[in-house]
Amino acid sequence: MAPALVESIHPISLPTYKKLSSFKDDCWFKHGEAQQSVDYEPGRTVVESQDFYEHEELRPSFPNVHWDPLAEVPYHDKGLQGDPHFRNLLASATDVFDYTPKIGTEIHGVNLARLTDAQKNDLARLISTRGVVFFRNQSDLDIDSQRELGAYFGKLHKHATTAVPRRAGLEDVHVVYTDRNSKDQRAVFSPTFLWHSDVTYEVQPPSYTSLKLLTGPPRGGGGDTLWASQYGAYDLLSAPMQKYLEGLSALHSAQMQAEGSIAAGRPVRRDPIVTKHPLIRTHPVTGWKSLFFNPGFVTGIVGIPKAESDAIIHYLNEIITTTQEIHVRYQWRKDDVAFWDNRICVSE
């Protein structure tokens, strides 16, 4: 229904106004002229020029090296030392709010580059509880302090195929870089396939992961990231299905990722592996059960017929990718940071 133009009645001594009425909002006009204070064109995105890029040392590179297979390392989750009410982390916070009941929390007023160990422990506990935690405007957190913060939680992972920065010594940093010359991946992958938890094919998949936006599309220009809670996915299963899946394990494979790198003419820095992990896991910090399923890497369910395995994979894909109540969507701004728990989240 098109908005209707309604003329308001005023005393003659006052200027005349016209009111444009719609279902929710009112716009006022003086003498029939719009009093516009912003420049707006629907769907228009102003793209920042990259002719000069301030992070040259962090541009992507693909070094042709070969690394040994990864082995398990001792791991103690720092979240176990965190305060159950996160009092240390939130002592300097100016605002904190949840995005949805199931997943996602944003904190203002906390400088990630200045955290005490007690605050870091609280952060780990909060990420374990909420899945993903967002921090705006973290300009003090450069790549070195980000790595230092990440290393507090455990040994940093080095990816076998993805881009690393040009600067030497940053092989444990995964660069996500796109510009006007980047290939459109939509012809290669289906939307559901792109949902993933990082490198779950590893013998010891990662726990906490941080991602910082250095530069990106302006607000409303796209580039958002979505996360889904595997706590929430587990809760959506019926009790009989929960019990059934608790006795099953899934195969997580790095083979397709390695083949894609080779097809693109890029090196594979560590031989691809296939690893078996339980479909249901209990989180060491919260004690809550979660699904541990990865649309991007799971190739089969162990010990059952293929038709049954395929049906379970399709079912779990549907739950994770289409159930909006377990999703959170984040719209990035420059210098924003997201911290999430790969054990209980998938992202896209």
Side-chain angles (χ1 to χ4, degrees), residues 3-10 14-22 25-35:
L5 198 61
V6 179
E7 185 169 349
S8 301
I9 301 176
H10 299 275
L14 296 177
T16 58
Y17 289 82
K18 290 187 177 180
K19 182 181 179 185
L20 185 65
S21 301
S22 60
D25 302 307
D26 295 331
C27 300
W28 286 89
F29 294 79
K30 182 176 181 180
H31 302 304
E33 296 290 335
Q35 303 301 299

Side-chain angles (χ1 to χ4, degrees), residues 150 177 234:
Y177 181 89
Y234 175 81

Side-chain angles (χ1 to χ4, degrees), residues 16 56 106 160 258 279 323:
T16 58
E56 284 295 331
E106 184 168 318
L279 270 172
T323 309

Side-chain angles (χ1 to χ4, degrees), residues 19-65:
K19 182 181 179 185
L20 185 65
S21 301
S22 60
F23 291 110
K24 292 184 179 179
D25 302 307
D26 295 331
C27 300
W28 286 89
F29 294 79
K30 182 176 181 180
H31 302 304
E33 296 290 335
Q35 303 301 299
Q36 186 170 337
S37 59
V38 295
D39 182 20
Y40 170 67
E41 181 180 334
R44 180 173 178 262
T45 299
V46 179
V47 179
E48 181 181 350
S49 172
Q50 295 299 320
D51 293 335
F52 170 75
Y53 187 59
E54 61 178 312
H55 306 287
E56 284 295 331
E57 64 176 6
L58 302 181
R59 281 189 185 269
S61 68
F62 298 88
N64 189 7
V65 296

